[in-house]
Amino acid sequence: MNEVNNTLLGPLGLADLAVSLPRAVRLQRLVSQLKAQFGCHAVALLQHEDDVLRPVAIDGLTRDALGRAFVVAQHPRLSAILLSRELVHFEHESTLPDPYDGLVDAMAGAPLPVHDCMGASIQVDGHRWGVLTLDALQPGTFEASAREALQQCLPLVAAVVRMGLLEQEVQALRQASVAASEPAEGALPAGSRMNLIGHSAALQQVLHEVDVVAQSDLPVLLMGETGVGKDLFARRVHERSPRAKGPMVHVNCAALPESLAESELFGHVRGAFSGATTDRAGRFEAARSGTIFLDEIGELPLTIQAKLLRTLQNGEVQRLGADRPVQVDVRVVAATNRSLKEAVAQGRFRADLYHRLSVYPVHVPPLRERDDDVLLLAGHFLEVNRARLGLRSLRLDAGAEAALLRYGWPGNVRELEHVIGRGALKLLSRGVRRSDIATLSADLLDLSADDGDAPSLMHTPMHPHLVAPSTKEPQQAQATHLSLRAQVDALQRQAIEQALVESKGNWATAARQLDVDPSNLHKLARRLGLKA
């Protein structure tokens, strides 16, 4: 017991608390050290929010577990740990279902055998923050001395968690200072969280931008492909802004009939048109002191665009049929999956309105540019479908993970959600029992690399000799019957292989030769089946 505790007090207690580390790194080092010192197979640190427990650091669980949200009411073991003031130990005879069935790396895809499990609620400044869980496949691992050692380590675990929270607060203050030059009132709402899942650099950069601009009152234009979750980013702008206590009104401009668009947005008075029997406020008035989210703004009719421009310029709306305008205090966030610049050039969108809306443009990255976020998001959708369908466990096998990482995701996060949901239903249709550990394989996902509009080196300048027609005539002749996507893939694969040969296997040199970012080259090579 003392040996375990003293080891933890060394590298984790003093060294890690005395240096500045990113929160994710600090917490990951904590769980990894606990796993090593207690000789167990899995350790997880989960944060409690909105009646769910979300993993923030794991060691020994499958990668998708980090994206899952465990509803406390659905997991009796986690519920018992969270609500207890004492360390909880589940004997190997316990019949309570384990939330990690099928998710422990050492037993991936198989039900957890007779095993030891212990955990504790983590208290920070007198408040319940979350839980720590440890699982060992060998019964008897967590004997009395191990439980006592973990009990003594809990204050240290809480200190590490608290340090991470302090670093988050410091980061929030830095973001606020960056935005200080913009007109802003109020402060970041405490505990405001959005369900935006992912750890990739591309996502974190956008989240940082959103958090900074949210403190101002500037109009924001969210640009991104269909299915990337622009509505979640819009809600984050609202929730992180001084207007968070006000309403947020969502308007789908693509669903507004031109004949009713003016009335829906700006309201009308009695008698303004046939059927207008009473005065009615529009969406802008409903969003007073809050935020209005104009989704698919590029679909708004030109006649309405002129009226919207006046609202943005003067802060007022005029109900249809009314004589006088009404002042409204509203922050505008718009979104589009089209190029508004092209729409302006084609005369389909007003240039003056475009410049008013795009005071602060934000590019939401497609899923294919977010590295392994696809697995975290898949974990989230797996847990959602597990609960919805009443399954004991729902997981991915190695082939399914590889297929998800290889696919280009033209439909982005929305497509991933549908793929996981469809795969889970197919499992049930094939006779999988709800009491089994349901495993999704690649064939259930119906993903074809040819269907995914993945990033292409053809969009990036290359050296002329790398895009010239191949001198391997048999290969070229053989490819004539293939799809365009397959032929492009073949050309990209050949270009990468040639660059690697010329650079003697050095990927960084090959990336410079191909004039692409090294991380993008690795992602493309992985999709094409090339390994480092």
Side-chain angles (χ1 to χ4, degrees), residues 11 15 28 102 135 171 375 401 423 517:
Q28 187 59 47
D135 286 87
Q171 182 63 27
L375 293 183
E401 284 191 3
D517 183 85

Side-chain angles (χ1 to χ4, degrees), residues 17-188:
L17 290 176
V19 298
S20 176
L21 291 172
R23 175 175 179 261
V25 173
R26 188 184 301 280
L27 298 182
Q28 187 59 47
R29 288 177 62 167
L30 171 68
V31 297
S32 297
Q33 189 68 24
L34 286 168
K35 179 173 177 286
Q37 295 305 319
F38 282 91
C40 55
H41 292 84
V43 176
L45 190 63
L46 305 95
Q47 185 170 0
H48 184 227
E49 53 182 39
D50 302 328
D51 299 323
V52 301
L53 285 165
R54 300 181 186 278
V56 294
I58 59 174
D59 195 339
L61 298 178
T62 56
R63 286 184 290 175
D64 64 81
L66 205 54
R68 295 180 182 245
F70 297 97
V71 179
V72 176
Q74 297 173 2
H75 296 283
R77 291 198 185 214
L78 293 178
S79 178
I81 295 172
L82 180 66
L83 298 177
S84 176
R85 285 278 182 178
E86 304 294 331
L87 186 145
V88 178
H89 177 230
F90 298 98
E91 299 286 352
H92 59 267
E93 297 94 347
S94 175
T95 58
L96 290 178
D98 195 294
Y100 306 141
D101 255 350
L103 302 181
V104 176
D105 277 338
M107 295 289 294
L112 283 174
V114 174
H115 69 291
D116 257 12
C117 174
M118 65 176 175
S121 175
I122 305 301
Q123 307 287 322
V124 177
D125 294 335
H127 300 284
R128 185 186 296 122
W129 176 87
V131 301
L132 173 72
T133 65
L134 292 83
D135 286 87
L137 300 181
Q138 181 63 40
T141 301
F142 302 139
E143 55 187 12
S145 60
R147 298 197 295 272
E148 186 178 347
L150 181 61
Q151 185 69 53
Q152 293 186 18
C153 289
L154 292 180
L156 173 60
V157 174
V160 174
V161 169
R162 188 175 188 278
M163 181 64 74
L165 293 175
L166 289 174
E167 287 161 347
Q168 282 184 311
E169 293 176 8
V170 170
Q171 182 63 27
L173 289 173
R174 288 174 180 168
Q175 292 173 355
S177 67
V178 171
S181 59
E182 303 293 348
E185 355 177 308
L188 189 69

Side-chain angles (χ1 to χ4, degrees), residues 200-203 224-228 337 364-375 377 403-416 449 451-457 459 485 492 519-527:
S200 66
L203 177 64
E225 299 174 6
T226 297
V228 295
N337 61 3
V364 179
L367 184 54
R368 62 178 173 270
E369 294 180 4
R370 290 175 52 183
D371 301 321
D372 289 351
D373 279 358
V374 64
L375 293 183
L377 287 160
L404 293 178
L405 291 171
R406 188 167 56 243
Y407 188 62
W409 299 109
N412 293 290
V413 179
R414 187 180 300 131
E415 182 182 10
L416 173 61
D451 296 333
D453 186 15
S456 170
L457 281 177
H459 295 209
R485 179 74 265 166
Q492 291 176 339
S519 62
N520 289 339
L521 179 62
H522 278 286
K523 283 187 285 187
L524 179 60
R526 181 173 59 191
R527 185 183 71 79

